[in-house]
Amino acid sequence: MHEGPIGEPNFGDHQRLPCPIKDAHRRFMDCHAHWHMTAESYMSPDGFRLNLNALIQNLRNITWLLQKRKGDFTDFRQWYGAWQDSVKDDSVMKWIVKSRNRIVKEADLEIHSEAKVRISFDWTHEFEKTLQFPPRFTTRQILAGILAANTIPSTGTITINRRWIDRALPEWELLEATSYVYDQIGRVIYTAHQEAGVESCNLPSRQTACVTSDIHRSLICMDSADDNRLLHADLQTGQRFRESRVGFDGDSAELRRRALEKYGKEFDVGTGDAINRLPNLLKNAQEVLKIDKSHLTFAYLLINERIVAHLPIAFSDQDAKRLAFQRLANEIRIAGANGFIFAGEQWVAFVKPGEDLRHRAIVPARDRSDRKEAIAVTGMTKDGRMKQLQSIFERDADGSITFWPIVEKDYAHVPNFLLPIARAWGIGPFRGLPSDS
């Protein structure tokens, strides 16, 4: 299972019981299927509009159907009211209500197609511009046109993100917005089942394999985009990169059980914001390294002092790493997170006399013969605070690991790998593409 911006467990493989909110849950499954139909019609303006209108109406109708079953719950007002309070000031949830009213009573949404083009030469030189293209243009056609114009350098990476936008919600791509609404409604559908004592219900699965009665949050199938919508390419070779999304296998309780069985303890992730949690997270990482001899790379997103996402990350080189952090920056925007933690292994090398780390020709630690391995956790908050805790480690002949003392680093400036996160929060400048490109 993938845990996304506000991860909740799915129902797993428990005994399936009659659904306590059959009509609302069935409509919720309809929305999942209809979201895919909308995505499949992305290149057809009329087909996209038609499917989007139906999807928005169905998303809005779920809560009405749920309220019709309030007599079946003794404390409906309490838990349903808590959910309503949690979304009442949410701009996207307000948009879905207004959009349904517009579609039914007034007119279609004012949608238009655009393409966001991002050029990345390295961590410090990235440029972005929104361009207008006919809806029928695929990302490959847009890429071919940009390359044929020969107005940009031939090194680095390019990302083209085709987007349908509603003028009433210009900062959100419409599939992202409706997926977000689906997630928010999924929280109350999940709660209704829990309140009824039903871990998993017996509504039948649909023809589309991912449309089941299990309530997965932030589905990977809704978190992916085909080449018509999103394309990453190497500017020199034209080779396309594909995003690799890693998922958790099992629900949150199952993951905790496995951790207890493997490591003999439940890990304490600490309390507080992204800076305050670092000591606990580094201690946890060291214990994992001692047993597993390696440590996966993870990111944590926080809203104030609450962890709202725990996301595994995979990348093979620096280009892929930049793309991964651009994706994380988008996750932060969608989740409304104001704290970020990055945990994983890294290469470390010591600066030699006369070396200037600011010079572009400096050899990175990963390419040095004297490099050493380290485990590190780095925290950053939207108000600009940053800190890293790092511990170099060495491997003995028998594979056992010895850690050096922990080093604490306070950053005076945003380090390169955190620049995409800083830009998402408006920390530091972000340049647009040259006007003649």
Side-chain angles (χ1 to χ4, degrees):
M1 184 195 78
H2 172 64
E3 288 190 347
I6 36 177
E8 293 282 359
N10 67 357
F11 288 154
D13 296 322
H14 305 285
Q15 180 184 2
R16 296 188 176 274
L17 301 173
C19 184
I21 50 167
K22 182 174 64 175
D23 293 335
H25 193 180
R26 189 162 48 198
R27 190 66 58 87
F28 183 67
M29 294 171 64
D30 290 346
C31 289
H32 184 176
H34 221 131
W35 187 94
H36 285 289
M37 294 170 63
T38 308
E40 289 165 3
S41 62
Y42 209 81
M43 304 305 297
S44 167
D46 287 334
F48 184 79
R49 174 186 55 79
L50 179 67
N51 282 296
L52 179 68
N53 285 351
L55 174 59
I56 288 173
Q57 292 179 68
N58 269 333
L59 284 168
R60 180 68 182 101
N61 291 342
I62 293 171
T63 53
W64 290 338
L65 292 171
L66 181 57
Q67 290 177 59
K68 289 183 178 294
R69 304 303 297 267
K70 61 184 178 182
D72 298 340
F73 299 89
T74 56
D75 55 354
F76 180 88
R77 291 184 181 276
Q78 180 179 350
W79 56 262
Y80 186 77
W83 177 80
Q84 284 182 311
D85 289 342
S86 71
V87 299
K88 67 179 181 180
D89 295 323
D90 190 306
S91 61
V92 186
M93 297 300 285
K94 289 181 177 179
W95 168 82
I96 204 75
V97 173
K98 292 179 180 178
S99 295
R100 184 266 173 191
N101 292 338
R102 286 165 58 193
I103 292 167
V104 173
K105 301 176 182 178
E106 299 175 22
D108 289 335
L109 305 184
E110 295 183 51
I111 64 175
H112 68 279
S113 177
E114 66 181 27
K116 277 191 177 292
V117 178
R118 179 191 294 267
I119 307 293
S120 177
F121 304 125
D122 54 40
W123 288 105
T124 59
H125 296 81
E126 291 189 346
F127 308 88
E128 185 176 272
K129 190 170 185 179
T130 299
L131 304 175
Q132 301 297 323
F133 285 93
R136 67 180 183 278
F137 275 41
T138 67
T139 52
R140 296 184 189 187
Q141 291 172 317
I142 294 170
L143 174 63
I146 291 174
L147 295 180
N150 200 29
T151 57
I152 58 176
S154 59
T155 59
T157 62
I158 183 171
T159 296
I160 300 173
N161 191 358
R162 274 285 318 277
R163 294 155 51 89
W164 277 107
I165 302 295
D166 177 22
R167 296 187 190 281
L169 194 73
E171 67 275 19
W172 281 79
E173 191 278 329
L174 286 169
L175 286 181
E176 285 185 356
T178 48
S179 173
Y180 175 85
V181 172
Y182 178 90
D183 266 0
Q184 299 304 307
I185 294 173
R187 288 196 294 119
V188 75
I189 296 292
Y190 173 82
T191 300
H193 283 77
Q194 294 296 100
E195 291 293 326
V198 176
E199 287 296 314
S200 58
C201 72
N202 61 359
L203 288 182
S205 299
R206 305 293 175 82
Q207 186 173 358
T208 304
C210 58
V211 183
T212 72
S213 61
D214 291 346
I215 301 179
H216 299 267
R217 302 295 312 291
S218 296
L219 291 161
I220 290 179
C221 64
M222 286 190 180
D223 205 23
S224 308
D226 61 26
D227 282 353
N228 283 332
R229 292 168 47 209
L230 182 67
L231 181 145
H232 307 292
D234 185 294
L235 284 169
Q236 186 172 17
T237 65
Q239 180 181 359
R240 297 196 301 276
F241 299 97
R242 293 191 181 276
E243 289 189 358
S244 175
R245 305 313 306 276
V246 182
F248 287 118
D249 180 17
D251 63 29
S252 297
E254 174 66 10
L255 290 171
R256 288 194 295 270
R257 186 193 65 77
R258 292 183 196 172
L260 182 62
E261 182 179 284
K262 185 173 185 179
Y263 304 108
K265 60 174 292 185
E266 285 198 25
F267 290 114
D268 179 8
V269 296
T271 59
D273 63 14
I275 306 300
N276 293 332
R277 290 178 182 263
L278 296 182
N280 286 70
L281 292 175
L282 182 60
K283 180 181 178 181
N284 295 344
Q286 288 177 322
E287 294 185 20
V288 168
L289 262 174
K290 286 181 180 179
I291 295 174
D292 293 346
K293 311 307 178 187
S294 65
H295 192 285
L296 296 177
T297 303
F298 288 98
Y300 300 83
L301 308 188
L302 294 88
I303 296 178
N304 300 325
E305 297 186 354
R306 179 170 59 95
I307 293 177
V308 296
H310 179 201
L311 304 170
I313 310 167
F315 46 81
S316 57
D317 54 31
Q318 287 298 297
D319 285 339
K321 186 176 181 178
R322 291 202 306 276
L323 294 176
F325 270 81
Q326 290 169 9
R327 178 69 187 217
L328 285 171
N330 191 55
E331 298 273 9
I332 282 173
R333 179 186 64 82
I334 292 173
N338 55 18
F340 174 77
I341 298 172
F342 182 69
E345 296 182 50
Q346 60 181 212
W347 293 112
V348 175
F350 298 99
V351 180
K352 297 178 180 179
E355 285 188 312
D356 184 354
L357 293 176
R358 296 169 298 180
H359 198 283
R360 294 186 67 180
I362 193 166
V363 178
R366 64 183 180 274
D367 296 328
R368 295 186 178 225
S369 59
D370 62 343
R371 68 188 184 184
K372 292 187 177 296
E373 294 179 283
I375 185 71
V377 291
T378 307
M380 183 178 184
T381 60
K382 190 175 182 179
D383 59 14
R385 292 176 293 126
M386 292 169 284
K387 180 177 287 188
Q388 182 181 90
L389 299 182
Q390 178 196 83
S391 178
I392 293 174
F393 62 89
E394 296 183 286
R395 302 177 189 270
D396 297 338
D398 62 356
S400 61
I401 290 177
T402 303
F403 292 100
W404 289 24
I406 295 172
V407 175
E408 181 175 312
K409 182 187 299 184
D410 288 297
Y411 292 102
H413 304 286
V414 180
N416 285 347
F417 75 98
L418 289 179
L419 284 172
I421 312 302
R423 294 182 185 117
W425 284 332
I427 303 173
F430 188 86
R431 286 172 279 186
L433 285 169
S435 58
D436 59 347
S437 64

